[in-house]
PDB file of all heavy atoms in Angstrom:
ATOM      1  N   PRO A 142       7.770  12.125  22.975  1.00 90.00           N
ATOM      2  CA  PRO A 142       9.172  11.731  22.951  1.00 90.00           C
ATOM      3  C   PRO A 142       9.433  10.308  23.452  1.00 90.00           C
ATOM      4  O   PRO A 142      10.437   9.725  23.124  1.00 90.00           O
ATOM      5  CB  PRO A 142       9.910  12.730  23.821  1.00 90.00           C
ATOM      6  CG  PRO A 142       8.837  13.143  24.818  1.00 90.00           C
ATOM      7  CD  PRO A 142       7.526  13.113  24.127  1.00 90.00           C
ATOM      8  N   ASN A 143       8.408   9.777  24.201  1.00 89.00           N
ATOM      9  CA  ASN A 143       8.630   8.459  24.803  1.00 89.00           C
ATOM     10  C   ASN A 143       7.486   7.522  24.574  1.00 89.00           C
ATOM     11  O   ASN A 143       6.820   7.119  25.505  1.00 89.00           O
ATOM     12  CB  ASN A 143       8.894   8.661  26.303  1.00 89.00           C
ATOM     13  CG  ASN A 143       7.787   9.488  26.926  1.00 89.00           C
ATOM     14  OD1 ASN A 143       6.952  10.150  26.214  1.00 89.00           O
ATOM     15  ND2 ASN A 143       7.748   9.495  28.245  1.00 89.00           N
ATOM     16  N   PRO A 144       7.191   7.142  23.362  1.00 89.00           N
ATOM     17  CA  PRO A 144       5.995   6.351  23.094  1.00 89.00           C
ATOM     18  C   PRO A 144       6.000   4.993  23.863  1.00 89.00           C
ATOM     19  O   PRO A 144       5.008   4.564  24.353  1.00 89.00           O
ATOM     20  CB  PRO A 144       6.046   6.081  21.585  1.00 89.00           C
ATOM     21  CG  PRO A 144       7.014   7.065  21.048  1.00 89.00           C
ATOM     22  CD  PRO A 144       7.958   7.385  22.128  1.00 89.00           C
ATOM     23  N   ALA A 145       7.199   4.345  23.910  1.00 90.00           N
ATOM     24  CA  ALA A 145       7.240   3.038  24.521  1.00 90.00           C
ATOM     25  C   ALA A 145       6.855   3.117  26.008  1.00 90.00           C
ATOM     26  O   ALA A 145       6.110   2.281  26.532  1.00 90.00           O
ATOM     27  CB  ALA A 145       8.628   2.444  24.392  1.00 90.00           C
ATOM     28  N   GLU A 146       7.389   4.126  26.701  1.00 91.00           N
ATOM     29  CA  GLU A 146       7.066   4.245  28.116  1.00 91.00           C
ATOM     30  C   GLU A 146       5.535   4.538  28.242  1.00 91.00           C
ATOM     31  O   GLU A 146       4.902   4.074  29.250  1.00 91.00           O
ATOM     32  CB  GLU A 146       7.826   5.428  28.749  1.00 91.00           C
ATOM     33  CG  GLU A 146       9.299   5.102  29.000  1.00 91.00           C
ATOM     34  CD  GLU A 146      10.140   5.149  27.764  1.00 91.00           C
ATOM     35  OE1 GLU A 146       9.610   5.687  26.760  1.00 91.00           O
ATOM     36  OE2 GLU A 146      11.285   4.592  27.787  1.00 91.00           O
ATOM     37  N   MET A 147       4.976   5.344  27.408  1.00 90.00           N
ATOM     38  CA  MET A 147       3.576   5.686  27.475  1.00 90.00           C
ATOM     39  C   MET A 147       2.703   4.459  27.339  1.00 90.00           C
ATOM     40  O   MET A 147       1.766   4.257  28.081  1.00 90.00           O
ATOM     41  CB  MET A 147       3.243   6.675  26.332  1.00 90.00           C
ATOM     42  CG  MET A 147       3.577   8.087  26.698  1.00 90.00           C
ATOM     43  SD  MET A 147       2.846   9.080  25.455  1.00 90.00           S
ATOM     44  CE  MET A 147       2.753  10.620  26.416  1.00 90.00           C
ATOM     45  N   ILE A 148       3.080   3.593  26.350  1.00 91.00           N
ATOM     46  CA  ILE A 148       2.322   2.401  26.154  1.00 91.00           C
ATOM     47  C   ILE A 148       2.478   1.422  27.342  1.00 91.00           C
ATOM     48  O   ILE A 148       1.520   0.751  27.731  1.00 91.00           O
ATOM     49  CB  ILE A 148       2.749   1.692  24.789  1.00 91.00           C
ATOM     50  CG1 ILE A 148       2.256   2.578  23.661  1.00 91.00           C
ATOM     51  CG2 ILE A 148       2.221   0.267  24.703  1.00 91.00           C
ATOM     52  CD1 ILE A 148       2.717   2.041  22.324  1.00 91.00           C
ATOM     53  N   ALA A 149       3.641   1.394  27.951  1.00 92.00           N
ATOM     54  CA  ALA A 149       3.875   0.490  29.076  1.00 92.00           C
ATOM     55  C   ALA A 149       3.220   1.020  30.342  1.00 92.00           C
ATOM     56  O   ALA A 149       3.136   0.230  31.313  1.00 92.00           O
ATOM     57  CB  ALA A 149       5.417   0.394  29.289  1.00 92.00           C
ATOM     58  N   SER A 150       2.707   2.236  30.334  1.00 93.00           N
ATOM     59  CA  SER A 150       2.234   2.822  31.606  1.00 93.00           C
ATOM     60  C   SER A 150       0.990   2.089  32.085  1.00 93.00           C
ATOM     61  O   SER A 150       0.270   1.489  31.387  1.00 93.00           O
ATOM     62  CB  SER A 150       1.920   4.302  31.388  1.00 93.00           C
ATOM     63  OG  SER A 150       0.846   4.383  30.449  1.00 93.00           O
ATOM     64  N   ASN A 151       0.745   2.290  33.440  1.00 92.00           N
ATOM     65  CA  ASN A 151      -0.440   1.722  34.032  1.00 92.00           C
ATOM     66  C   ASN A 151      -1.759   2.391  33.500  1.00 92.00           C
ATOM     67  O   ASN A 151      -2.781   1.817  33.408  1.00 92.00           O
ATOM     68  CB  ASN A 151      -0.425   1.957  35.555  1.00 92.00           C
ATOM     69  CG  ASN A 151       0.590   0.966  36.156  1.00 92.00           C
ATOM     70  OD1 ASN A 151       0.807  -0.036  35.650  1.00 92.00           O
ATOM     71  ND2 ASN A 151       1.172   1.461  37.263  1.00 92.00           N
ATOM     72  N   ARG A 152      -1.506   3.713  33.097  1.00 92.00           N
ATOM     73  CA  ARG A 152      -2.643   4.414  32.592  1.00 92.00           C
ATOM     74  C   ARG A 152      -3.169   3.759  31.260  1.00 92.00           C
ATOM     75  O   ARG A 152      -4.361   3.735  31.001  1.00 92.00           O
ATOM     76  CB  ARG A 152      -2.277   5.865  32.348  1.00 92.00           C
ATOM     77  CG  ARG A 152      -3.519   6.787  32.230  1.00 92.00           C
ATOM     78  CD  ARG A 152      -3.053   8.253  32.276  1.00 92.00           C
ATOM     79  NE  ARG A 152      -4.077   9.073  31.671  1.00 92.00           N
ATOM     80  CZ  ARG A 152      -5.170   9.517  32.308  1.00 92.00           C
ATOM     81  NH1 ARG A 152      -5.359   9.182  33.585  1.00 92.00           N
ATOM     82  NH2 ARG A 152      -6.050  10.302  31.741  1.00 92.00           N
ATOM     83  N   MET A 153      -2.220   3.224  30.524  1.00 92.00           N
ATOM     84  CA  MET A 153      -2.625   2.554  29.292  1.00 92.00           C
ATOM     85  C   MET A 153      -3.431   1.350  29.622  1.00 92.00           C
ATOM     86  O   MET A 153      -4.568   1.078  29.016  1.00 92.00           O
ATOM     87  CB  MET A 153      -1.361   2.131  28.516  1.00 92.00           C
ATOM     88  CG  MET A 153      -1.631   1.451  27.175  1.00 92.00           C
ATOM     89  SD  MET A 153      -2.084   2.595  25.877  1.00 92.00           S
ATOM     90  CE  MET A 153      -3.401   1.667  25.089  1.00 92.00           C
ATOM     91  N   THR A 154      -3.017   0.575  30.599  1.00 93.00           N
ATOM     92  CA  THR A 154      -3.782  -0.632  31.015  1.00 93.00           C
ATOM     93  C   THR A 154      -5.191  -0.237  31.498  1.00 93.00           C
ATOM     94  O   THR A 154      -6.141  -0.860  31.128  1.00 93.00           O
ATOM     95  CB  THR A 154      -2.996  -1.345  32.137  1.00 93.00           C
ATOM     96  OG1 THR A 154      -1.640  -1.391  31.821  1.00 93.00           O
ATOM     97  CG2 THR A 154      -3.575  -2.732  32.387  1.00 93.00           C
ATOM     98  N   ALA A 155      -5.177   0.909  32.284  1.00 93.00           N
ATOM     99  CA  ALA A 155      -6.495   1.280  32.816  1.00 93.00           C
ATOM    100  C   ALA A 155      -7.397   1.754  31.670  1.00 93.00           C
ATOM    101  O   ALA A 155      -8.620   1.477  31.722  1.00 93.00           O
ATOM    102  CB  ALA A 155      -6.282   2.434  33.810  1.00 93.00           C
ATOM    103  N   THR A 156      -6.820   2.448  30.703  1.00 93.00           N
ATOM    104  CA  THR A 156      -7.568   2.921  29.593  1.00 93.00           C
ATOM    105  C   THR A 156      -8.197   1.680  28.831  1.00 93.00           C
ATOM    106  O   THR A 156      -9.391   1.746  28.516  1.00 93.00           O
ATOM    107  CB  THR A 156      -6.699   3.751  28.641  1.00 93.00           C
ATOM    108  OG1 THR A 156      -6.096   4.790  29.399  1.00 93.00           O
ATOM    109  CG2 THR A 156      -7.495   4.291  27.490  1.00 93.00           C
ATOM    110  N   LEU A 157      -7.358   0.741  28.596  1.00 93.00           N
ATOM    111  CA  LEU A 157      -7.883  -0.424  27.883  1.00 93.00           C
ATOM    112  C   LEU A 157      -8.993  -1.102  28.712  1.00 93.00           C
ATOM    113  O   LEU A 157      -9.999  -1.557  28.104  1.00 93.00           O
ATOM    114  CB  LEU A 157      -6.764  -1.443  27.630  1.00 93.00           C
ATOM    115  CG  LEU A 157      -5.783  -1.103  26.516  1.00 93.00           C
ATOM    116  CD1 LEU A 157      -4.651  -2.164  26.403  1.00 93.00           C
ATOM    117  CD2 LEU A 157      -6.510  -1.001  25.184  1.00 93.00           C
ATOM    118  N   GLN A 158      -8.865  -1.120  30.029  1.00 93.00           N
ATOM    119  CA  GLN A 158      -9.904  -1.672  30.862  1.00 93.00           C
ATOM    120  C   GLN A 158     -11.227  -0.956  30.704  1.00 93.00           C
ATOM    121  O   GLN A 158     -12.298  -1.493  30.565  1.00 93.00           O
ATOM    122  CB  GLN A 158      -9.399  -1.644  32.327  1.00 93.00           C
ATOM    123  CG  GLN A 158     -10.017  -2.727  33.156  1.00 93.00           C
ATOM    124  CD  GLN A 158      -9.727  -4.155  32.570  1.00 93.00           C
ATOM    125  OE1 GLN A 158      -8.666  -4.461  32.164  1.00 93.00           O
ATOM    126  NE2 GLN A 158     -10.822  -4.943  32.435  1.00 93.00           N
ATOM    127  N   GLU A 159     -11.033   0.409  30.694  1.00 92.00           N
ATOM    128  CA  GLU A 159     -12.194   1.243  30.491  1.00 92.00           C
ATOM    129  C   GLU A 159     -12.923   1.029  29.164  1.00 92.00           C
ATOM    130  O   GLU A 159     -14.081   0.889  29.064  1.00 92.00           O
ATOM    131  CB  GLU A 159     -11.775   2.684  30.696  1.00 92.00           C
ATOM    132  CG  GLU A 159     -12.883   3.741  30.391  1.00 92.00           C
ATOM    133  CD  GLU A 159     -13.851   3.912  31.517  1.00 92.00           C
ATOM    134  OE1 GLU A 159     -13.537   3.494  32.685  1.00 92.00           O
ATOM    135  OE2 GLU A 159     -14.983   4.358  31.283  1.00 92.00           O
ATOM    136  N   LEU A 160     -12.078   0.905  28.152  1.00 93.00           N
ATOM    137  CA  LEU A 160     -12.591   0.712  26.809  1.00 93.00           C
ATOM    138  C   LEU A 160     -13.268  -0.647  26.639  1.00 93.00           C
ATOM    139  O   LEU A 160     -14.272  -0.785  25.900  1.00 93.00           O
ATOM    140  CB  LEU A 160     -11.473   0.843  25.754  1.00 93.00           C
ATOM    141  CG  LEU A 160     -10.925   2.243  25.539  1.00 93.00           C
ATOM    142  CD1 LEU A 160      -9.652   2.228  24.679  1.00 93.00           C
ATOM    143  CD2 LEU A 160     -11.941   3.219  25.000  1.00 93.00           C
ATOM    144  N   ARG A 161     -12.791  -1.668  27.356  1.00 93.00           N
ATOM    145  CA  ARG A 161     -13.436  -2.995  27.344  1.00 93.00           C
ATOM    146  C   ARG A 161     -14.868  -2.897  27.797  1.00 93.00           C
ATOM    147  O   ARG A 161     -15.748  -3.608  27.298  1.00 93.00           O
ATOM    148  CB  ARG A 161     -12.714  -3.910  28.262  1.00 93.00           C
ATOM    149  CG  ARG A 161     -11.528  -4.604  27.693  1.00 93.00           C
ATOM    150  CD  ARG A 161     -10.862  -5.405  28.779  1.00 93.00           C
ATOM    151  NE  ARG A 161      -9.479  -5.777  28.498  1.00 93.00           N
ATOM    152  CZ  ARG A 161      -9.093  -6.936  27.833  1.00 93.00           C
ATOM    153  NH1 ARG A 161     -10.048  -7.720  27.449  1.00 93.00           N
ATOM    154  NH2 ARG A 161      -7.900  -7.110  27.588  1.00 93.00           N
ATOM    155  N   GLN A 162     -15.090  -1.981  28.783  1.00 93.00           N
ATOM    156  CA  GLN A 162     -16.479  -1.842  29.279  1.00 93.00           C
ATOM    157  C   GLN A 162     -17.348  -1.153  28.248  1.00 93.00           C
ATOM    158  O   GLN A 162     -18.478  -1.479  28.092  1.00 93.00           O
ATOM    159  CB  GLN A 162     -16.496  -1.005  30.541  1.00 93.00           C
ATOM    160  CG  GLN A 162     -15.485  -1.404  31.605  1.00 93.00           C
ATOM    161  CD  GLN A 162     -15.812  -2.801  32.153  1.00 93.00           C
ATOM    162  OE1 GLN A 162     -16.964  -3.205  32.292  1.00 93.00           O
ATOM    163  NE2 GLN A 162     -14.703  -3.621  32.328  1.00 93.00           N
ATOM    164  N   ARG A 163     -16.754  -0.230  27.507  1.00 93.00           N
ATOM    165  CA  ARG A 163     -17.623   0.629  26.688  1.00 93.00           C
ATOM    166  C   ARG A 163     -17.854   0.017  25.283  1.00 93.00           C
ATOM    167  O   ARG A 163     -18.828   0.374  24.642  1.00 93.00           O
ATOM    168  CB  ARG A 163     -16.919   1.974  26.491  1.00 93.00           C
ATOM    169  CG  ARG A 163     -16.892   2.783  27.756  1.00 93.00           C
ATOM    170  CD  ARG A 163     -16.812   4.239  27.317  1.00 93.00           C
ATOM    171  NE  ARG A 163     -16.222   5.081  28.365  1.00 93.00           N
ATOM    172  CZ  ARG A 163     -15.968   6.346  28.155  1.00 93.00           C
ATOM    173  NH1 ARG A 163     -16.291   6.900  26.979  1.00 93.00           N
ATOM    174  NH2 ARG A 163     -15.439   7.101  29.112  1.00 93.00           N
ATOM    175  N   PHE A 164     -16.891  -0.714  24.807  1.00 93.00           N
ATOM    176  CA  PHE A 164     -16.933  -1.173  23.396  1.00 93.00           C
ATOM    177  C   PHE A 164     -16.918  -2.714  23.331  1.00 93.00           C
ATOM    178  O   PHE A 164     -16.467  -3.408  24.272  1.00 93.00           O
ATOM    179  CB  PHE A 164     -15.785  -0.606  22.584  1.00 93.00           C
ATOM    180  CG  PHE A 164     -15.852   0.892  22.396  1.00 93.00           C
ATOM    181  CD1 PHE A 164     -15.186   1.704  23.338  1.00 93.00           C
ATOM    182  CD2 PHE A 164     -16.551   1.396  21.361  1.00 93.00           C
ATOM    183  CE1 PHE A 164     -15.277   3.148  23.148  1.00 93.00           C
ATOM    184  CE2 PHE A 164     -16.600   2.800  21.217  1.00 93.00           C
ATOM    185  CZ  PHE A 164     -15.986   3.611  22.070  1.00 93.00           C
ATOM    186  N   ASP A 165     -17.388  -3.199  22.204  1.00 92.00           N
ATOM    187  CA  ASP A 165     -17.373  -4.647  21.984  1.00 92.00           C
ATOM    188  C   ASP A 165     -15.981  -5.083  21.497  1.00 92.00           C
ATOM    189  O   ASP A 165     -15.533  -6.145  21.852  1.00 92.00           O
ATOM    190  CB  ASP A 165     -18.409  -5.050  20.910  1.00 92.00           C
ATOM    191  CG  ASP A 165     -19.823  -4.718  21.382  1.00 92.00           C
ATOM    192  OD1 ASP A 165     -20.068  -4.938  22.577  1.00 92.00           O
ATOM    193  OD2 ASP A 165     -20.615  -4.238  20.539  1.00 92.00           O
ATOM    194  N   ILE A 166     -15.448  -4.278  20.681  1.00 93.00           N
ATOM    195  CA  ILE A 166     -14.116  -4.573  20.124  1.00 93.00           C
ATOM    196  C   ILE A 166     -13.173  -3.439  20.200  1.00 93.00           C
ATOM    197  O   ILE A 166     -13.547  -2.299  19.903  1.00 93.00           O
ATOM    198  CB  ILE A 166     -14.281  -5.014  18.570  1.00 93.00           C
ATOM    199  CG1 ILE A 166     -15.192  -6.228  18.399  1.00 93.00           C
ATOM    200  CG2 ILE A 166     -12.921  -5.196  17.935  1.00 93.00           C
ATOM    201  CD1 ILE A 166     -14.528  -7.508  18.744  1.00 93.00           C
ATOM    202  N   VAL A 167     -11.939  -3.670  20.660  1.00 94.00           N
ATOM    203  CA  VAL A 167     -10.969  -2.633  20.697  1.00 94.00           C
ATOM    204  C   VAL A 167      -9.835  -3.089  19.695  1.00 94.00           C
ATOM    205  O   VAL A 167      -9.219  -4.103  19.982  1.00 94.00           O
ATOM    206  CB  VAL A 167     -10.362  -2.404  22.118  1.00 94.00           C
ATOM    207  CG1 VAL A 167      -9.307  -1.351  22.110  1.00 94.00           C
ATOM    208  CG2 VAL A 167     -11.489  -2.126  23.085  1.00 94.00           C
ATOM    209  N   LEU A 168      -9.618  -2.307  18.693  1.00 94.00           N
ATOM    210  CA  LEU A 168      -8.579  -2.625  17.693  1.00 94.00           C
ATOM    211  C   LEU A 168      -7.428  -1.637  17.910  1.00 94.00           C
ATOM    212  O   LEU A 168      -7.656  -0.434  17.980  1.00 94.00           O
ATOM    213  CB  LEU A 168      -9.116  -2.531  16.326  1.00 94.00           C
ATOM    214  CG  LEU A 168      -9.915  -3.745  15.721  1.00 94.00           C
ATOM    215  CD1 LEU A 168     -10.513  -3.350  14.441  1.00 94.00           C
ATOM    216  CD2 LEU A 168      -8.998  -4.921  15.574  1.00 94.00           C
ATOM    217  N   ILE A 169      -6.231  -2.201  17.922  1.00 94.00           N
ATOM    218  CA  ILE A 169      -5.077  -1.351  18.135  1.00 94.00           C
ATOM    219  C   ILE A 169      -4.086  -1.487  16.951  1.00 94.00           C
ATOM    220  O   ILE A 169      -3.676  -2.531  16.569  1.00 94.00           O
ATOM    221  CB  ILE A 169      -4.360  -1.672  19.410  1.00 94.00           C
ATOM    222  CG1 ILE A 169      -5.384  -1.748  20.617  1.00 94.00           C
ATOM    223  CG2 ILE A 169      -3.248  -0.693  19.720  1.00 94.00           C
ATOM    224  CD1 ILE A 169      -4.800  -2.336  21.867  1.00 94.00           C
TER     225      ILE A 169
END
Side-chain angles (χ1 to χ4, degrees):
Chain A
N143 52 348
E146 285 76 16
M147 278 192 156
I148 287 172
S150 66
N151 287 331
R152 197 169 160 83
M153 183 76 222
T154 315
T156 304
L157 284 177
Q158 208 53 50
E159 174 77 22
L160 291 172
R161 275 176 200 271
Q162 309 298 319
R163 293 205 205 177
F164 292 92
D165 298 320
I166 296 287
V167 181
L168 276 173
I169 307 169

